[in-house]
């Protein structure tokens, strides 16, 4: 991406030099000439039409299509389809050696043929040529999201390309695309009721698909799995859809439960066909598949092989794993015979995909023989953690392998259909691992409704186009470049940290998961399989108030997003709302709605009037979500997006107004109630309070909450304190709660240990606080409040230097991928003031053993015997559910520290895929909290 901006800089900069040294790509005073042969495929003309529209948007002048090649003409052609270009290659005036016989490659360069300067856009095939043409759109500043996110390009007077300009590109993955899924609450109602109104219920028509295909072409993708839910009219039932795909050169495939291009969820009519059962109704099923192959077999398709249930369920009629394996083997054999009959007699020339998704992976592992020319399309666990990749033998298959990956999902343990919050760094690590093991044939991303997954969709497809574009240390820079394209470099520098934090906070817990509710938890006690919203595990009296800290982090980025909005140019405001403001602000309000409600219920239990204030804040947050969503649907672009954004997908419990307590009335009581951090209940009628000792550098502050019980407001003052103690009131924007923060000025602590008292006068009563400081002043991680916190990146040494820190990954945003073996161990130095029994919570990304039978690490303290821990989980087990909801596998080991002082923790991976995020040594095994704080944030 940086090369792109360098190129644009050169284009503009070149306007100050002699025009003879540049090619005038754009001039708002004169139409640019374009020459193209009549022999090109449809997709080339489609791309040229898009480019001409882009040129008119930027300059006000549309290029002129010319039958003659005059000076300063853009010559567009595919090898073998443009006689003029073929002649240039034949006479060695133009070299095509870099792209000839390559898949979808293109090159752009400037040549001079006689006295005529020409900009050549050359493709190895038709799609390659189309991508080359749309690269010119990128060069004039047009975003791929021009239509889908209203990224309106800036006007320009002229853009010139240096004569020496040369660009050559080709994809890293052969088939790259998206799956439109769970479209019931966004894409389908928006299309059928707004953008392309239809009397056919649930129809997504060719006008909508045309816009989707245009976006894919701009993103250098080539494949689509169309929307397929029962609520949506099937793709092939809608006139013009498959023809529109052909116009844009898009390959149509189908999902894991749609064999041979048939959407059984919407097309299989049990009254007409009977049971979808291969054992009892084989002839009908085969005829049903044949109908579609006869209809669509002449188009460019990627055929899904295999069979599941009508929708996302197990194959009907089979009972045992062995029976499933036997029947599926016959299904594949029969399907391939149909393909040779209707598509191509040479079965190896037909793109085919076998998707071992959910229960089908067990069938494959049970010995199912899949012909080697079929692509094995491996899957994640629906939450972004790949479950299986090709082993050495599978990497040799002629059909290769691919990946079906989710950034949106409907199902257990909980849906995430509203926002797109998967950390880009996780997508990077998972997909790079897949590519390294040979998954280079097919990459499909489940994008849900497509919006608001703009950035993560492009991130995924950029990796598929150029696997080297992203690396572990440029993930933030890539996002900043993306934002610079949309909003300019100055604003991008300020927006980038906001989105980095947005992804980090959602990695801790997605907005959709903040209700601690579940779906598909079927039992007699659970209605519709949906468990109710309950209190979160965030503890308001641990780690400086986990709830307060989370809401402060969210409010900080939300307020900054609103501040920056005022500086966004008018033509970019709609894009900014969609790409930045809406996702950040509604995530903030979702957390406020649920966490303020939790505080309201907590304080209502103690009859504290502040519960009323928190309840009001929760209601306000719900209303804010509704208001922001109304703006998205009704106010943006004169209602263009009406229906695309649903704040309650599937109307799940978590999206409703939070449960709130009855109103609390004021008591006839002067004295307030005191609640001290690190305690589990408030203090009443106790006036001498011992605070947790302060430690330099790990723990420098703590707080006390003071709650009004009667009508008398809280008034406090300092009667006595040590000189090294600072006492401040933290602003809470509340009337009936005040927070008093105690912190240490370490420059005034002269001894290693200091003891003192502080006396506060609160509503006429003295409260004495016992204080202690430990001025350890070391660069080691030190114990505070009976614990030591470490980020994975805080290691002291690494034996071989082969582990890899990944920017933006995990709760720490600096997770470390461990290389296998004891020789690659990481060592951490810590300092404790306690001794005795302790636990270590080791927090890892909940990866799966994609190339083996297990995924394990070993951990030891002070060179003791290593404890071996497996964190492998079974799909849909309770441990797996907890892991994917929190994006961590938290593993506990038990240790004994014989003395206080310096210690070492050593950890190493025994299998591939171990990614370390955080470590916590704790002398209190039953501590109640949700997330380990960052090591520099206690």
């Amino acid at each position: 991406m940086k090369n792109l901006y360098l190129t644009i800089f050169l284009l503009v900069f070149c306007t100050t030099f002699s025009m003879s040294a540049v090619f005038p790509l754009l001039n708002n005073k004169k139409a640019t000439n374009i020459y193209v042969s009549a022999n090109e495929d449809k997709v080339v003309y489609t791309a040229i039409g898009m480019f001409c529209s882009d040129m008119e948007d930027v300059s006000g002048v549309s290029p002129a299509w010319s039958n003659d090649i005059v000076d300063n003409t853009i010559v567009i052609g595919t090898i073998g389809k443009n006689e003029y270009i073929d002649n240039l290659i034949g006479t060695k005036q133009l070299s095509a050696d870099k792209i000839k016989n390559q898949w979808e490659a293109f090159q752009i360069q400037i040549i001079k043929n006689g006295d005529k300067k020409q900009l050549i856009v050359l493709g190895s095939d038709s799609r390659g040529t189309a991508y080359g043409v749309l690269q010119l759109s990128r060069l004039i500043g047009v975003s791929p999201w021009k239509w889908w996110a209203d990224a309106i390009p800036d006007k320009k007077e002229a853009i010139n390309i240096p004569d020496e300009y040369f660009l050559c590109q080709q994809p890293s993955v052969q088939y790259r695309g998206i799956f439109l899924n769970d479209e019931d609450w966004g894409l389908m109602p928006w299309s059928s009721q707004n953008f392309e109104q239809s009397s056919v219920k649930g129809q997504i028509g060719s006008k909508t698909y045309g816009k989707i295909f245009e976006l894919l072409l701009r993103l250098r993708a080539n494949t689509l799995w169309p929307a397929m839910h029962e609520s949506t009219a099937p793709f092939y039932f809608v006139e013009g859809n498959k023809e529109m795909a052909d116009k844009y050169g898009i390959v149509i495939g189908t999902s894991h439960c749609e064999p041979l291009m048939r959407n059984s969820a919407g097309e299989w009519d049990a009254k007409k066909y009977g049971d979808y059962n291969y054992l009892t109704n084989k002839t009908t099923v085969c005829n049903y598949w044949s109908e579609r192959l006869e209809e669509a077999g002449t188009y460019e398709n990627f055929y899904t092989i295999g069979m599941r249930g009508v929708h996302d369920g197990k194959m009907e009629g089979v009972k045992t794993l062995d029976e499933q394996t036997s029947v599926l083997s016959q299904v594949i054999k029969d399907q391939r015979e149909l393909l040779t009959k209707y598509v191509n007699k040479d079965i190896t020339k037909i793109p085919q995909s076998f998707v071992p998704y959910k229960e089908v992976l067990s069938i494959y592992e049970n010995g199912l023989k899949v012909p080697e020319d079929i692509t094995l399309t491996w899957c994640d666990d629906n939450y972004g953690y790949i479950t299986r990749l090709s082993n050495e033998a599978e990497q040799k298959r002629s059909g290769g392998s691919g990946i079906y990956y989710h950034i949106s999902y409907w199902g257990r343990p909980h849906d995430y259909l509203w926002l797109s919050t998967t950390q880009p760094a996780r997508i990077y690590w998972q997909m790079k691992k897949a590519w390294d093991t040979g998954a280079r044939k097919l990459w499909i991303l489940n994008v849900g409704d497509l919006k608001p997954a703009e950035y993560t969709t492009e991130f995924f497809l950029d990796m598929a186009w150029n696997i080297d574009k992203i690396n572990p240390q440029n993930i933030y820079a890539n996002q900043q470049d993306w934002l610079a394209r949309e909003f300019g470099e100055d604003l991008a520098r300020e927006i980038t940290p906001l989105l980095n934090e947005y992804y980090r906070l959602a990695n801790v817990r997605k907005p959709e998961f903040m209700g601690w509710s579940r779906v598909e938890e079927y039992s007699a006690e659970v209605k519709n399989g949906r468990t109710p919203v309950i209190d979160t595990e965030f503890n308001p009296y641990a780690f400086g108030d986990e709830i307060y800290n989370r809401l402060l982090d969210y409010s900080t980025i939300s307020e900054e997003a609103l501040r920056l909005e005022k500086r966004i140019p008018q033509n970019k405001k709609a894009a900014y709302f969609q790409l930045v403001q809406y996702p950040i602000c509604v995530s903030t309000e979702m957390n406020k709605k649920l966490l303020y409600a939790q505080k309201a219920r907590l304080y209502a239990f103690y009859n504290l009037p502040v519960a009323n204030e928190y309840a009001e804040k929760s209601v306000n947050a719900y209303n804010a979500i509704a208001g922001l969503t109304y703006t998205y649907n009704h106010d943006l672009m004169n209602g263009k997006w009406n229906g695309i954004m649903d704040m309650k997908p599937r109307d799940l419990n978590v999206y409703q107004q939070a449960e709130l307590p009855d109103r609390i009335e004021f008591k006839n009581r002067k004295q307030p109630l005191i609640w001290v951090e690190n305690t589990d209940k408030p203090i009443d009628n106790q006036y001498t309070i011992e605070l947790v000792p302060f430690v330099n550098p790990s723990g420098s502050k703590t707080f006390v909450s003071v709650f009004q019980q009667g009508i008398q407001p809280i008034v406090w003052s300092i009667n006595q304190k040590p000189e090294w103690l600072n006492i401040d009131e933290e602003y809470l924007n509340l009337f009936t709660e005040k927070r008093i923060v105690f912190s240490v000025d370490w420059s005034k602590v002269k001894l290693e240990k200091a003891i003192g008292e502080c006396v506060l006068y609160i509503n006429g009563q003295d409260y004495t606080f016992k204080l202690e400081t430990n001025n350890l002043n070391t660069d080691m991680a030190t114990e505070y409040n009976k614990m030591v916190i470490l980020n994975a990146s805080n290691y002291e040494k690494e034996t071989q230097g082969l582990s890899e820190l990944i920017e933006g990954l995990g709760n720490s945003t600096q997770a470390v991928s461990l290389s296998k073996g004891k020789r690659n161990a990481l060592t951490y130095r810590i300092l404790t003031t306690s001794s005795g029994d302790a636990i270590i919570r080791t927090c890892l990304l909940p990866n799966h053993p994609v190339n083996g039978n297990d995924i394990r690490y070993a951990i030891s303290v002070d060179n003791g015997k290593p404890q071996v821990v497996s964190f492998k989980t079974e799909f849909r087990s309770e441990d797996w559910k907890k892991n994917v909801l929190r994006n961590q596998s938290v593993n506990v080991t038990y240790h004994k520290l014989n003395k206080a002082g310096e210690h070492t923790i050593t950890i190493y991976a025994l299998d591939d895929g171990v990614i370390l995020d955080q470590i916590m040594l704790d002398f209190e095994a039953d501590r109640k909290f949700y997330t380990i704080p960052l090591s520099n944030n206690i």
Side-chain angles (χ1 to χ4, degrees), residues 118-130:
Q118 299 150 29
L119 174 65
I120 306 294
V121 179
L122 178 64
S124 63
D125 53 31
S126 296
R127 267 195 299 268
T129 304

Side-chain angles (χ1 to χ4, degrees), residues 4 162 169 248 257 309 421 632 692 694 863 892:
L4 171 61
Q169 293 185 0
Y248 283 87
C257 55
T421 55
Y632 204 125
V692 171
F694 300 101
N863 298 315
V892 175

